Amino acid sequence: MKLKKRILILSGLIIAVAVILFFSFAKKIENFANQDINLNREIIITVPAGTGRAGLETLLIQHKLIEDHRLLPWLFRFEPELAKFKAGTYRLQKGMSLKTVLQLFASGKETQFSIRFVEGSRLSDWSTILQNAPYLKREAESQTAQELVDTLGMKRGEALEGWFYPDTYLYTAGTSDVELLKRAHNKMKIVLEQEWKNRAKNLPYKDAYEMLIMASIIEKETAIESERTKVASVFLNRLRLKMRLQTDPTVIYGMGDKYTGTIFRSSLTTLTPYNTYMIDGLPPTPIAMPSLASIKAAAHPAVTEYLYFVANGDGGHTFTTNLVAHNKAVNHYRQRLKQDK
């Protein structure tokens, strides 16, 4: 009896010690999981496809996010759901715990990057922005303009300029630049179709594309919201009267790399498809990516008799109905420029 009692007591002690050791170790694992990762700033980290537990451990060590990596396999045993991490690119911030990081990896909620295309920018500007965007797969630069037209499902021979909606676009790492262009193109098509459908009556456009061209000109002529419909009315009145548009932004676009900030008289007398001082009607393509406000202005111009406008020196424009009044406004503007020097 005494022997059995001793065995029972010894067994009880062993079990008690085992329980204490287990809970002590479990607490150690808990503390390991809840400790802050070694970060003093935000970082972006990529978990490659096919990464296993050992690979993740190596990744965390390489980025110096954990110290005692020997506890990581035990953490996965205690909390197996944390081992179900997904490949992707994630944003880690100062103050995050190891457990929070692993939960983020398991969620698959990759960080999103943003790219901003400004109203009035050109396709060449977009190309530069796309080339400098982080974690973006670059495919567009290896395609010719015609190949990109085909990829986007546009009409063969159609120009790309003007066909992308300026906005902020979000993407995850590995997204291709062509995918972003598709999104911007589809959005522009939807917006243009809607505004064309709801346009004012008796506008001198052959089709929605001509309205897009007009919107791009309006975009480059003024950034003042209240002026857009007036600018539209000037150009549409000119089209109706078979007057040339005579707008500098189209001339600048036609000059291409030759434009260095000044339009010389010789530029106005040099024939290009975009020199609206020399050609009749609209230029052959848009000259920029117009905003929704400019597209709406092209679709719903103000009803005026204005045929001219010129800068007024205060950031806006003076609108006039005849050449005499226009010349006076031009002289006034020139005098303002002299006074400001």
Side-chain angles (χ1 to χ4, degrees), residues 12-60:
L13 288 172
I14 291 173
I15 292 172
V17 170
V19 169
I20 292 171
L21 290 175
F22 174 81
F23 281 105
S24 177
F25 187 68
K27 187 63 176 179
K28 185 176 182 180
I29 295 298
E30 182 183 358
N31 292 337
F32 172 70
N34 291 323
Q35 70 180 1
D36 288 354
I37 54 175
N38 296 324
L39 274 186
N40 54 19
R41 59 181 176 81
E42 178 183 280
I43 67 166
I44 303 295
I45 186 171
T46 298
V47 179
T51 300
R53 295 187 182 186
L56 181 64
E57 182 178 329
T58 300
L59 191 66
L60 295 173

Side-chain angles (χ1 to χ4, degrees), residues 237-290:
N237 287 341
R238 281 177 163 264
L239 286 177
R240 291 188 181 99
L241 295 173
K242 308 300 181 183
M243 294 176 65
R244 289 177 175 169
L245 297 186
Q246 296 184 324
T247 169
D248 291 351
T250 62
V251 176
I252 292 170
Y253 187 84
M255 291 172 67
D257 294 337
K258 293 180 181 178
Y259 179 70
T260 57
T262 303
I263 299 179
F264 298 100
R265 187 173 297 275
S266 59
S267 302
L268 300 180
T269 56
T270 299
L271 181 61
T272 76
Y274 295 88
N275 187 346
T276 50
Y277 285 84
M278 299 191 70
I279 66 167
D280 297 327
L282 292 164
T285 73
I287 60 172
M289 312 299 177

Side-chain angles (χ1 to χ4, degrees), residues 191-212 236 295-301:
V191 168
L192 185 63
E193 287 171 6
Q194 183 66 31
E195 295 305 321
W196 176 251
K197 180 181 178 181
N198 297 325
R199 71 190 184 281
K201 295 180 179 180
N202 302 319
L203 299 179
Y205 303 126
K206 294 178 183 177
D207 50 33
Y209 188 60
E210 286 199 349
M211 192 174 80
L212 182 65
L236 290 173
I295 295 174
K296 284 184 174 293
H300 298 277

Side-chain angles (χ1 to χ4, degrees), residues 61 122 125 180 183 198 213 246 285 289 301 303 315 319 321:
I61 293 170
R122 298 180 181 179
D125 300 320
L180 285 180
R183 286 163 57 188
N198 297 325
I213 295 172
Q246 296 184 324
T285 73
M289 312 299 177
V303 179
F319 294 83
T321 59

Side-chain angles (χ1 to χ4, degrees), residues 80-94:
E81 67 277 4
L82 297 179
K84 299 176 181 179
F85 44 85
K86 299 177 177 66
T89 299
Y90 303 92
R91 190 186 305 272
L92 306 187
Q93 298 175 327
K94 180 181 178 181

